[in-house]
Amino acid sequence: MNQLQTYAIPNEIPKQEDYLLRMRPVGSDKWEKIEAYQVKVDMHDVREASMIYFDFQGAVELEITFPKFYTVYDVQIRPTHLKYPTDITEKKIIVTINKPGNFSLEINKDRFHNLHIFAGTIEEVPDKEDENTGINLIGDRANKEIEKMPKDRLIYIEAGIHYISSYIWTIPSNTRVYLEPGAVLMGGLAVENNENVRIFGRGVVYQGHLLRPYFTDGFSIRYSQNIAISGVCFINPLHYTISFEQSERVQVENVKTFSCYGWSDGFDMVSSSHITIDNCFLRTSDDCIAVYASRKDSFGSSCDVTVKNSVLWADVAHPFITGTHGSQKEPGDIIENISLENIDILEHHEFQPNYLGALAINPGDNNLIKNVSFKDIRIDAFEHGRVFDIRVKFNKDYNPMPGKGIEDVLFEDIAITSGPGEEVSLIAGYDEERLVKNITFKNIYRDGIKMTNLKEANISVGDHTENIKFQ
């Protein structure tokens, strides 16, 4: 049976009206008008894109028409492998959505005023009448009341707009927070020296109302463990969407984010371990995902990070980078056991020479990086940058000393679409002691054709390298 659930946007939240949108279950003759969130993208030239989210079962239709004069001559859905059936005329588009997915619909090749569509499955809603549940207990002022409740308590946030006092809510240990569809939390979330916190639902964490000097993360995880977040969308955090600082056992699932400021990275890990990121969509104006070691008041190596089934869109900087920050002191930190699998990279746009690379491994600060794998990665033609940047770095903007080395890296089943902004990929060590070694490229495709050597794949190998293999 085809079913559709859509959710209202609170009046205080800016809507985007580039498109008129209606939806219905396939087979129904009753259309439902829906509104789109305004999401700001690209710090270089901030523009207003659109976002909708809904849940469904079976198949539904999305109709797109235009409030202003518009002639449709090209429609792209990305990632392209999703292949939703699309009926296109000069003045109207109908997309049949028959499977869950997080994707971008781009009309007439416009990637900056596009429609982001998050089509989810109908979820099981927790019982807010349960005796172990608190309704709309939000912010640090409510924490004393929350902590009086039994462990594994549920805080149920109802649909509507909710301002967080002091802008950041530090959630106590042993607490579940459910954001009902249509709920918008105005501010940011945090856990610090806490454990056993779960945030889930279909709500939004919003910072578009805050001034830049607040410089807040969407969700800050510091010195904590057993943390999970799923289903939530972050709109325009002022700094990172999620920061992981000296934390472990964190799961991030089906989280979406949009940012438009400098240093508004997506997910940044510092001295953290056992992190899983699954089925997420990140469109950021700095690195989408970064894995580092020691930095500031977080200390230690990072390990066991898995990123899978996700979409990375970097309007600025890297879709993925690891290595820049570490302890600097001997024996140095180690970043190891990093895995990316089934990833779509929709953009990489960077001109600064120190920050190129859709997939970048750049140890500085005496870091050693080892045991990294990239499998089943699809990279669209991007604005400017390079596909691979595998170099031991001495980036004087951040590093008082170079990295220690890179070893044991696998790139397997990588599909690259060529574009005019692509520079040659680079592999290089730093000196005779700071090497890049044991790098394997297997099944590298460019524009559908399997590459047979490094030159065909547009990869240059420099000095201080060992055992660079191409299969």
Side-chain angles (χ1 to χ4, degrees):
M1 182 178 182
N2 299 323
Q3 297 181 36
L4 171 66
Q5 294 180 354
T6 63
Y7 312 112
I9 302 175
N11 291 333
E12 298 92 332
I13 301 301
K15 286 89 171 173
Q16 188 66 4
E17 299 178 347
D18 289 335
Y19 315 118
L20 296 178
L21 305 171
R22 300 195 302 172
M23 296 194 72
R24 67 182 180 185
V26 168
S28 172
D29 58 2
K30 184 178 180 181
W31 290 97
E32 178 182 351
K33 291 182 67 174
I34 63 172
E35 296 176 315
Y37 285 85
Q38 179 190 101
V39 292
K40 294 181 180 180
V41 298
D42 188 21
M43 62 173 281
H44 288 156
D45 180 10
V46 177
R47 281 156 284 187
E48 297 167 350
S50 305
M51 181 275 286
I52 60 172
Y53 73 93
F54 55 88
D55 296 322
F56 75 105
Q57 178 178 302
V60 296
E61 292 177 317
L62 170 64
E63 178 194 76
I64 307 165
T65 54
F66 314 97
K68 304 172 186 176
F69 178 80
Y70 215 107
T71 298
V72 177
Y73 63 83
D74 182 84
V75 175
Q76 288 185 315
I77 288 176
R78 298 192 305 143
T80 57
H81 63 83
L82 290 176
K83 298 186 184 304
Y84 293 107
T86 306
D87 182 29
I88 304 168
T89 66
E90 289 184 353
K91 302 295 182 184
K92 183 168 65 176
I93 303 163
I94 295 179
V95 183
T96 300
I97 300 170
N98 50 19
K99 56 189 173 185
N102 300 323
F103 60 98
S104 166
L105 188 143
E106 298 154 16
I107 300 170
N108 298 349
K109 305 184 185 300
D110 187 346
R111 294 187 177 185
F112 296 102
H113 300 91
N114 57 314
L115 176 62
H116 303 84
I117 301 168
F118 302 139
T121 57
I122 294 175
E123 63 172 347
E124 182 177 348
V125 178
D127 181 9
K128 66 179 179 180
E129 303 301 327
D130 186 273
E131 62 182 10
N132 196 25
T133 297
I135 307 297
N136 296 335
L137 296 177
I138 300 167
D140 290 357
R141 293 176 182 174
N143 282 350
K144 287 185 178 180
E145 184 175 352
I146 292 171
E147 290 170 340
K148 292 177 183 177
M149 299 169 63
K151 289 185 177 181
D152 199 33
R153 52 212 163 216
L154 175 69
I155 305 304
Y156 191 108
I157 310 301
E158 295 178 313
I161 198 159
H162 305 271
Y163 286 88
I164 297 173
S165 60
S166 301
Y167 307 104
I168 300 294
W169 177 19
T170 303
I171 300 169
S173 293
N174 305 306
T175 302
R176 294 173 297 144
V177 178
Y178 175 73
L179 276 66
E180 188 175 63
V184 180
L185 287 180
M186 308 291 283
L189 305 174
V191 294
E192 184 166 355
N193 293 304
N194 288 350
E195 62 181 1
N196 306 325
V197 172
R198 181 188 177 201
I199 302 164
F200 65 113
R202 290 289 191 272
V204 169
V205 177
Y206 188 88
Q207 292 189 2
H209 65 303
L210 295 177
L211 298 176
R212 177 64 169 155
Y214 285 100
F215 212 56
T216 54
D217 295 335
F219 182 28
S220 174
I221 305 169
R222 307 185 75 225
Y223 317 124
S224 297
Q225 58 186 350
N226 298 331
I227 309 299
I229 181 169
S230 62
V232 177
C233 182
F234 292 83
I235 295 180
N236 299 128
L238 303 183
H239 195 227
Y240 304 154
T241 297
I242 303 179
S243 63
F244 309 70
E245 301 177 48
Q246 207 169 321
S247 294
E248 60 182 358
R249 296 191 296 279
V250 181
Q251 295 186 343
V252 181
E253 182 180 3
N254 195 24
V255 168
K256 288 79 65 172
T257 187
F258 301 91
S259 70
C260 65
Y261 297 105
W263 300 290
S264 60
D265 297 25
F267 305 157
D268 275 29
M269 286 148 262
V270 175
S271 301
S272 293
S273 63
H274 300 95
I275 310 295
T276 299
I277 297 166
D278 187 11
N279 190 33
C280 293
F281 185 107
L282 294 85
R283 184 172 186 179
T284 59
S285 279
D286 212 320
D287 306 324
C288 291
I289 294 178
V291 182
Y292 303 133
S294 299
R295 191 179 189 193
K296 297 180 180 178
D297 54 355
S298 294
F299 303 98
S301 298
S302 289
C303 68
D304 301 309
V305 176
T306 298
V307 183
K308 58 185 178 180
N309 310 319
S310 295
V311 179
L312 309 180
W313 182 327
D315 283 315
V316 181
H318 308 88
F320 175 84
I321 183 173
T322 182
T324 305
H325 305 290
S327 72
Q328 306 159 18
K329 300 178 182 179
E330 290 293 347
D333 288 332
I334 298 174
I335 299 173
E336 63 182 333
N337 303 333
I338 311 299
S339 172
L340 274 72
E341 185 168 0
N342 190 26
I343 303 295
D344 288 279
I345 294 177
L346 302 190
E347 184 60 283
H348 165 44
H349 185 184
E350 184 58 70
F351 285 89
Q352 298 178 87
N354 271 335
Y355 307 102
L356 305 183
L359 301 173
I361 302 177
N362 295 150
D365 283 355
N366 214 26
N367 284 329
L368 172 65
I369 299 178
K370 61 181 184 178
N371 299 329
V372 182
S373 70
F374 301 90
K375 294 183 179 180
D376 194 16
I377 313 292
R378 297 165 292 276
I379 303 173
D380 283 9
F382 46 71
E383 190 75 16
H384 188 266
R386 62 174 58 104
V387 176
F388 310 110
D389 193 282
I390 314 302
R391 291 187 291 161
V392 180
K393 283 280 195 73
F394 184 8
N395 181 345
K396 295 182 181 181
D397 290 341
Y398 293 105
N399 304 140
M401 64 188 306
K404 182 169 284 188
I406 302 168
E407 57 188 51
D408 302 323
V409 180
L410 172 65
F411 296 93
E412 183 174 4
D413 296 325
I414 312 294
I416 304 161
T417 300
S418 300
E422 182 184 339
E423 293 192 12
V424 176
S425 292
L426 300 178
I427 303 173
Y430 186 78
D431 58 26
E432 292 81 359
E433 296 182 347
R434 299 170 184 272
L435 302 176
V436 173
K437 59 184 180 181
N438 304 332
I439 312 299
T440 300
F441 295 90
K442 183 177 181 181
N443 298 333
I444 308 299
Y445 291 84
R446 181 175 290 279
D447 304 323
I449 300 172
K450 185 176 180 180
M451 301 291 95
T452 61
N453 55 59
L454 290 163
K455 184 177 180 180
E456 282 187 359
N458 200 28
I459 301 170
S460 175
V461 178
D463 296 333
H464 312 302
T465 62
E466 294 179 0
N467 195 27
I468 312 301
K469 296 185 293 186
F470 198 97
Q471 302 175 357

